[in-house]
Amino acid sequence: MLYPVFVKSDGKKRQCVTWLKSWRDADLQAEFQANLPWPTWVENNANAAAIGELYSGQWNQYRDLTVLELGYGIGAGIIADHKLLTGGFRNAGEVGMAFPTGTHRPSYKDLLGTLSAAGYDEKELLGLIKKKDIVIETWYQRSLKQLEDTVLGCLQWLDPQLIIIGGAMPKEITSRFAEDITDWLQYRLDPERPMVKVVHSSIGSESASLGAAMLSLYQIINQ
């Protein structure tokens, strides 16, 4: 099972998003394990997306990659030497912490909120992107700067070979983010430094579903 969360201080319960708040006081791993005849795992969606990309067959030449998941919020799934890096409290990759609650962030939810405030409907999004509507462009430029800072921090702390921008965000936007951040890094980084590859996910939000399906294989391989 996967969903956007962070693990609480007891190491078992998880601070779920608002619409799943009834789960916040449950040890979901134990609940599922007690009621299913198979081994079970609970993972957040960014980590699942990283596993999905790792096993997608597209990135076999990379052993260190980071997935930036732009969906309800913004999170990162980190693969280091072919293994998921979860951190001491299993909350590594919670890059949304950089954006206080109630402030703008480079997430799909924030984009939809911006559209709604301007009087647009989600169904109009692709058309607005194509014509580079001022509402979209203003949101994009602000979000691009936020993602540039996020990517730079990722390089400083993790030194990945590959950064994949994905999630529920439309590919028309994630592909543009990848291109613009690649151009920005060309002059931001020392030319003698090995250059990280920044791409958009070709499978988008489905990478998390793929990762969830592959969790059992991942666990067996990495026992």
Side-chain angles (χ1 to χ4, degrees):
M1 179 182 180
L2 61 115
Y3 55 105
V5 299
F6 65 82
V7 180
K8 294 184 178 183
S9 57
D10 65 1
K12 297 178 180 180
K13 300 182 182 68
R14 298 165 186 258
Q15 186 72 6
C16 309
V17 292
T18 303
W19 66 80
L20 296 175
K21 64 180 180 180
S22 61
W23 292 2
R24 291 177 177 176
D25 293 321
D27 181 347
L28 294 177
Q29 180 81 36
E31 293 291 339
F32 282 109
Q33 191 65 68
N35 289 280
L36 293 171
W38 312 285
T40 60
W41 297 273
V42 176
E43 191 52 86
N44 73 54
N45 58 328
N47 286 346
I51 292 173
E53 294 287 352
L54 178 67
Y55 291 139
S56 69
Q58 300 180 78
W59 317 116
N60 293 342
Q61 68 271 42
Y62 299 99
R63 68 180 185 278
D64 293 86
L65 62 89
T66 298
V67 174
L68 292 177
E69 180 89 351
L70 311 183
Y72 178 86
I74 171 173
I78 305 160
I79 301 294
D81 198 20
H82 292 111
K83 293 184 179 181
L84 190 64
L85 191 157
T86 58
F89 298 104
R90 296 165 61 199
N91 288 318
E94 196 186 348
V95 294
M97 291 175 64
F99 310 105
T101 301
T103 62
H104 289 293
R105 57 182 60 194
S107 70
Y108 188 48
K109 180 187 177 185
D110 186 78
L111 173 57
L112 295 182
T114 300
L115 288 181
S116 179
Y120 290 119
D121 186 85
E122 182 179 359
K123 296 177 181 178
E124 301 175 82
L125 177 56
L126 293 183
L128 295 171
I129 292 173
K130 289 180 181 178
K131 71 177 187 179
K132 294 190 174 182
D133 184 270
I134 185 61
V135 173
I136 295 292
E137 288 303 297
T138 300
W139 178 89
Y140 179 84
Q141 293 302 327
R142 180 185 67 232
S143 297
L144 176 62
K145 178 61 172 65
Q146 293 174 319
L147 276 182
E148 287 173 346
D149 292 341
T150 300
V151 166
L152 193 60
C154 178
L155 297 182
Q156 291 169 327
W157 288 98
L158 300 172
D159 191 29
Q161 299 166 303
L162 175 70
I163 295 176
I164 305 168
I165 303 175
M169 190 74 72
K171 295 175 185 177
E172 291 83 356
I173 292 181
T174 56
S175 61
R176 186 178 172 191
F177 277 144
E179 292 172 4
D180 287 346
I181 291 172
T182 296
D183 291 343
W184 175 72
L185 289 174
Q186 293 290 337
Y187 75 84
R188 178 62 178 80
L189 300 180
D190 190 305
E192 297 300 317
R193 180 187 180 88
M195 181 58 66
V196 62
K197 185 177 182 67
V198 182
V199 300
H200 79 284
S201 173
S202 64
I203 51 179
S205 59
E206 293 180 9
S207 61
S209 299
L210 176 61
M214 300 297 289
L215 266 175
S216 57
L217 177 62
Y218 173 83
Q219 295 292 340
I220 291 171
I221 291 174
N222 292 283
Q223 282 180 345

